[in-house]
Amino acid sequence: MGYDARFRVWRGDLDGGSLEDYTVAVNEGEVVLDIIHRLQATQTPDLAVRWNCKAGKCGSCSAEVNGRPRLLCMTRMSTFTQDEIITVTPMRTFPIIKDLVTDVSFNYEKAREIPSFTPPAGLAPGEYRMKQVDVERSQEFRKCIECFLCQDTCHVVRDHEENKTSFAGPRYLMRIAELEMHPLDTRDRREMAQEEAGLGYCNITKCCTDVCPEHIKITDNALIPLKERVVDRRYDPIVWLGNKLFRR
Ligand code: SF4
Ligand code: F3S
Ligand code: FES
């Protein structure tokens, strides 16, 4: 059955803005993005929202609903009671462009800092057979739709702009972990993970895992194994001796 919902939507740009109240019709089976679109069609034609697939696959419609990072197209209206006020705000960690649209270029910059996959020189196609376990490990990480909800929620950068230069965020630490665990990647990525991508900032709160719409176990399957590898390297007696002798 249809009803009228009360929405509170952040309107504004980099110079400032405020939460505005609207009453919008809701039909059975709708998601928050449907209501935002109805708002655009009937009351606020200039409301900015980024979206593309409306199927949870493009990662464009990321925002915060009642303070929780979510995909607008995958958040069903039936998860809220009919009398509650639903607050929709842009992702807090990234600079505002307009209304619900943020500038997510921080993420692309972090992606570019990661050296690409480096297989052994001269390895010809067909010369190496991947084990199924290695295929499955990468496949989980490759489900990522780059919605950046994990990047938005991580407390290391959420309210700490100053950490952005030294922390790549869970999505890109996961990319480093994927490459580090790839049997054909020849680079040792552990020092880069710790020193440049800020792995040590992560204190395993698992908030990133909690908000991932692809249900990737970012913390358990990528960040913790990567931390273990870094520790192995640091406490390896030969590495320790090498550091003592050659890094004075
Ligand atoms: Fe989004 Fe999950 Fe990818 Fe993070 S890991 S960007 S939450 S899909
Ligand atoms: Fe941040 Fe996830 Fe670590 S939320 S602190 S990267 S476990
Ligand atoms: Fe594509 Fe929501 S519109 S994920």
Side-chain angles (χ1 to χ4, degrees):
M1 286 307 106
Y3 66 99
D4 284 340
R6 285 184 297 161
F7 264 63
R8 190 162 283 168
V9 182
W10 196 87
R11 307 294 313 275
D13 55 27
L14 250 191
D15 297 328
S18 59
L19 290 165
E20 304 288 335
D21 288 326
Y22 305 96
T23 300
V24 202
V26 176
N27 300 316
E28 201 170 342
E30 288 186 328
V31 293
V32 172
L33 186 61
D34 289 316
I35 313 309
I36 295 291
H37 282 163
R38 185 162 301 121
L39 196 53
Q40 275 182 326
T42 58
Q43 302 178 46
T44 57
D46 61 336
L47 171 63
V49 59
R50 188 187 279 132
W51 69 285
N52 208 312
C53 70
K54 205 167 174 281
K57 285 296 160 217
C58 73
S60 306
C61 66
S62 301
E64 301 191 4
V65 182
N66 293 347
R68 183 183 165 87
R70 284 177 176 278
L71 295 180
L72 297 180
C73 74
M74 297 303 284
T75 305
R76 296 197 163 277
M77 287 301 294
S78 57
T79 52
F80 308 104
T81 58
Q82 295 192 1
D83 57 356
E84 89 182 92
I85 297 175
I86 299 167
T87 304
V88 187
T89 47
M91 286 194 283
R92 187 159 109 192
T93 301
F94 309 119
I96 305 276
I97 295 176
K98 185 175 184 305
D99 303 332
L100 301 177
V101 177
T102 49
D103 176 357
V104 293
S105 45
F106 161 77
N107 300 286
Y108 303 122
E109 284 155 24
K110 293 297 168 183
R112 273 194 293 271
E113 286 170 12
I114 302 172
S116 57
F117 174 57
T118 314
L123 187 78
E127 271 184 5
Y128 184 87
R129 185 172 288 233
M130 291 280 281
K131 291 198 177 73
Q132 188 59 26
V133 65
D134 292 321
V135 173
E136 281 163 12
R137 189 187 305 112
S138 283
Q139 264 173 350
E140 182 191 12
F141 304 144
R142 295 250 160 180
K143 286 193 302 178
C144 174
I145 57 170
E146 301 226 299
C147 64
F148 308 131
L149 291 177
C150 58
Q151 304 282 92
D152 177 45
T153 206
C154 179
H155 69 94
V156 175
V157 283
R158 188 169 170 85
D159 288 311
H160 296 281
E161 188 66 29
E162 70 279 10
N163 287 342
K164 282 188 177 169
T165 49
S166 42
F167 185 64
R171 194 272 169 265
Y172 294 104
L173 287 167
M174 178 174 86
R175 173 71 180 143
I176 297 169
E178 180 193 343
L179 291 166
E180 173 63 27
M181 291 189 262
H182 195 296
L184 284 183
D185 187 72
T186 55
R187 282 179 188 265
D188 185 342
R189 297 174 185 268
R190 294 174 292 182
E191 187 163 344
M192 189 260 172
Q194 190 70 13
E195 304 302 332
E196 289 163 48
L199 180 63
Y201 283 86
C202 165
N203 55 351
I204 324 184
T205 57
K206 299 198 183 186
C207 310
C208 49
T209 304
D210 285 347
V211 299
C212 178
E214 286 294 316
H215 307 293
I216 302 170
K217 291 197 170 70
I218 307 168
T219 323
D220 286 355
N221 291 348
L223 307 184
I224 292 174
L226 189 57
K227 279 176 177 284
E228 286 168 351
R229 285 174 177 241
V230 168
V231 169
D232 281 354
R233 180 180 190 279
R234 290 201 156 186
Y235 294 101
D236 180 323
I238 295 176
V239 173
W240 179 84
L241 191 63
N243 285 345
K244 275 267 178 232
L245 293 175
F246 301 116
R247 284 216 185 154
R248 289 185 183 208

